[in-house]
Structure formats: structure tokens, C-alpha cells
Amino acid sequence: KASRFSPLMSVVRHTVITLPTPVNISTWWNFGSLLGVCLAIQIFSGLVLSLHFTAHTDLSFYVVIQSFGDVYYNWWFRALHANGASFFFIGLYLHVARGMYYGSYVFKEVWSVGVVILLLVMASAFLGYVLPWGQMSFWGATVITSLFSALPIIGGDVVIWLWGGFSVDNATLTRFFGLHFLLPFTVAGLAGLHLFFLHDQGSSNPLGVSSDYNKVVFHHYYVLKDLVGVCFFVGPLLGLVYFNPWLLGDPENFIEGNPLVTPHHIQPEWYFLFAYAILRAVPNKLGGVVALAVAVLILLYMPFSPQTAIKGLSFYPWGKALFFSLIGVFILLTWAGAKPVEEPYVVVSQVLSFMYFSYFLLIGPLTRIQDKLL
């Protein structure tokens, strides 16, 4: 019996105990484990919530509201799930930013699987936002799914297929619930593949140099470090759940979805606002959809961009300045996405969108020029 389980125990031991890890990795490398914790929280809380949810346009909104008082601690799981999504995206964006800054994208398989995980998490978050069937849920689903109508020739058929009819209705809600339930398990499987490729190729480090000669075992050095990171991450999450659980939500979503009344300002959750601003910055509908898709898919280009002599931006002052300007642009795009579609916010979004895409075009040549100067 012991030998039957030894291969599994060997994998676990190599993954979290004896894994050789660079001795100089910083706190920015904590976000991988934090995202694993966030995924576990989302799956567990989502499973609990699914036990008391009915995917029907006539019932969903009232079931969600009624379960607050009738189901023991359901409010806590709902607040944890909703705010956990926000913290999940905070961790994801910081994880991606760390990979961009320190050149982790040179590990093509690790990076590519990570981008696919990001896309699936974004899809799952959008599907989950529709389920309470509030005003912003309904109209958000209507606006975002209608974007597929911009596709040439097949656009209209794709939208009808997504809706399961000729409007966002019961069939749409049912299939969104099914997909929202399944996608997190797909993400968990891809996270395992992500770890497999990472452990096969080894972690990067802040200096961007080979660390094969200076490594320590993962346990207990980095296990304890990750546990401290989890405490600092989960603490604010629980504080938000207990003291202000609806701070990051939209008040419109406490009104039942009504196809006859359009909200004055339709907007997604805060973690999609940067992409929403890019979408609105392009006057042409198809152009906006393409810009929206490219805003995320451009991350897949990074492993194939011109490589520098030293991995990462730690020793490239011009590259560092450009990177931190990108962080500022991302924050400003998030701000612009929450504003109405009027001047001067449209022009601001267009300028910021241009700056966002310019980073990916300029960072390679800029660092290569500095390589030649040095």
C-alpha cells in the first residue's frame, strides 16, 4: 500500500519540499502561491453558493437576496466570493507585472499557459457577474455578448448561439451558470500544468542571471515566507468581507435586471475597466473589439519579442521608466473606464490606449539600444 502512493508523495515532496529555488527571489514571487490560495477560496465558496442558487431569470435575483437571511452564513460566502474575485485579479495583475518586469516571459511554456489562465479567469469572472441577475449583470451581459456581432459574416449567428435565443434570457443564464461552474476546475488543471513547466525550467530571479549554483530547498525557507504573504493577503480580504462587503460592487446590481430600463452608465467590474476603456476608445465597433482582444492577447507576443542581454529590466533605466509609465497608464485606463462616454474622457481613453500599446512596441528596441550603448 505504501508503495502504491509513493509516486504521488514523490511529486508532492519535489513540488513543495525539496524543490531547488533561487536564494535571492523577493516578495514579488509570493503571488504565485497567493493566487493558488485565491483559487481555492473561489472554488470552495462557489461550491457552497451553488447549493442555494437557481439559474432562472424569474428566480435568480430573489434566491440570492432571500438566501442572505434564510441560509446560515450565506452572506459571508457571497461576500467572500465577490471580494475574493477582486483580490484574485489584484494578484493576477501583480503576478503578470512581475513577470514582465523581471523577464519571466522568456520561459515560453510557463508564460503561455499563464496567459491562457488569465483569459479563462477573466471569462469566468464575467460569467459569474451575470448570475445574480441584477441590472448591471443583465445589461453587462447584453453589451459584452453583443460585441461578437461585430465579427464579419458570422457575428449575428455567434451572438444568437451565445444567447441561446434572440435576447439575453433564461437560456443565457443557464449556460452561463454551467460554464461558470466548470471553468475554475479547468483553471486549476492549467495551474498544475503551469507549475509543471515552471519546475521543469526553474524560477527566474531579480538579477536576471543564472542561479543554478546558489539555490536552497523550498521548505522551509519559502513555505514560511509564502505563509506570511498569505496572512498579509487574506487579512485585508476578510476585513473587507466583515466591515464593508459591498464596497467594490455596483449599487445598480441590487435592482433586479429589467430589459425595459437601461442604466444611465453601464460598466463592468473594476478589474475589467482598463479593457473597457480601450474598447470605447475606438470609434469603430469591430476596431474596438479587436483592440479589446489585443489588449490581453498581446501578452502572448512577449516571449517572441527581441531579447535583451540581461533578463528583466533591473539594469535598464530606460526600460524601467517605460514599464512604470505603463503601470500609470493601466491605472488611468481603469479610472477612464468608469467615466461616462463623453468628452474629455473619450480623448483621454484614446491617448492612454495609444500609450498602452506603444509600450509593447518600444520596450524591445529601447532595451536593445541600451545593450549596444553598454
Side-chain angles (χ1 to χ4, degrees):
K1 278 189 175 181
S3 61
R4 186 186 309 171
F5 294 103
S6 58
L8 178 61
M9 296 305 298
S10 176
V11 170
V12 173
R13 179 178 177 83
H14 179 68
T15 302
V16 297
I17 299 178
T18 62
L19 177 70
T21 310
V23 73
N24 64 328
I25 61 176
S26 64
T27 305
W28 291 110
W29 271 256
N30 277 41
F31 285 97
S33 60
L34 292 177
L35 289 171
V37 172
C38 283
L39 180 60
I41 290 173
Q42 292 303 97
I43 289 177
F44 176 70
S45 59
L47 284 172
V48 174
L49 292 173
S50 69
L51 300 176
H52 307 285
F53 181 76
T54 304
H56 195 284
T57 53
D58 295 333
L59 300 172
S60 295
F61 182 79
Y62 297 103
V63 166
V64 170
I65 297 299
Q66 187 182 25
S67 62
F68 280 4
D70 292 354
V71 180
Y72 190 67
Y73 261 81
N74 184 271
W75 70 268
W76 187 84
F77 282 105
R78 170 113 192 269
L80 181 68
H81 197 69
N83 291 294
S86 292
F87 275 70
F88 203 165
F89 275 97
I90 291 172
L92 275 172
Y93 291 152
L94 289 174
H95 194 55
V96 171
R98 190 270 300 167
M100 292 171 62
Y101 183 84
Y102 289 112
S104 299
Y105 49 81
V106 297
F107 303 128
K108 292 183 174 63
E109 294 87 354
V110 181
W111 184 261
S112 300
V113 174
V115 174
V116 173
I117 290 173
L118 174 63
L119 291 169
L120 289 181
V121 172
M122 294 177 83
S124 183
F126 165 69
L127 296 171
Y129 189 60
V130 178
L131 299 185
W133 209 247
Q135 269 287 72
M136 203 56 69
S137 296
F138 172 80
W139 286 102
T142 302
V143 170
I144 298 302
T145 52
S146 296
L147 294 176
F148 288 93
S149 65
L151 297 174
I153 303 174
I154 62 171
D157 294 330
V158 170
V159 172
I160 292 174
W161 177 76
L162 285 171
W163 287 346
F166 296 99
S167 64
V168 175
D169 209 337
N170 196 59
T172 317
L173 181 61
T174 304
R175 60 186 57 187
F176 276 23
F177 176 57
L179 288 171
H180 181 66
F181 190 91
L182 290 175
L183 279 181
F185 296 101
T186 307
V187 170
L190 287 173
L193 186 63
H194 189 63
L195 284 173
F196 171 79
F197 284 129
L198 175 66
H199 293 169
D200 181 59
Q201 298 177 355
S203 296
S204 58
N205 63 83
L207 293 178
V209 297
S210 174
S211 57
D212 291 341
Y213 305 104
N214 195 10
K215 291 188 175 182
V216 294
V217 292
F218 191 80
H219 179 76
H220 54 88
Y221 294 102
Y222 290 110
V223 168
L224 294 177
K225 187 176 182 179
D226 284 351
L227 288 175
V228 172
V230 168
C231 292
F232 277 100
F233 202 68
V234 174
L237 171 60
L238 292 178
L240 199 60
V241 168
Y242 281 113
F243 296 106
N244 202 345
W246 315 121
L247 175 67
L248 302 176
D250 195 308
E252 287 276 358
N253 234 27
F254 287 92
I255 304 171
E256 185 182 7
N258 187 349
L260 301 178
V261 179
T262 307
H264 292 297
H265 179 44
I266 301 173
Q267 67 180 55
E269 288 285 77
W270 71 266
Y271 37 78
F272 292 145
L273 287 175
F274 84 97
Y276 190 55
I278 292 173
L279 167 70
R280 299 187 318 183
V282 182
N284 178 268
K285 186 176 181 180
L286 178 59
V289 172
V290 172
L292 171 67
V294 173
V296 181
L297 293 177
I298 200 170
L299 294 173
L300 291 172
Y301 157 76
M302 297 202 68
F304 306 98
S305 60
Q307 302 301 317
T308 54
I310 303 174
K311 189 168 62 177
L313 300 176
S314 297
F315 300 100
Y316 295 93
W318 298 349
K320 289 167 73 172
L322 194 61
F323 174 81
F324 287 112
S325 70
L326 175 68
I327 300 299
V329 166
F330 182 88
I331 294 171
L332 289 174
L333 278 170
T334 300
W335 166 80
K339 298 299 179 181
V341 189
E342 59 186 33
E343 299 299 343
Y345 305 117
V346 174
V347 174
V348 169
S349 296
Q350 291 172 343
V351 173
L352 292 172
S353 299
F354 176 78
M355 295 173 66
Y356 177 86
F357 290 113
S358 296
Y359 170 84
F360 298 95
L361 298 176
L362 295 176
I363 188 65
L366 197 63
T367 49
R368 293 292 293 274
I369 290 172
Q370 192 167 342
D371 278 338
K372 291 180 180 180
L373 292 176
L374 293 176

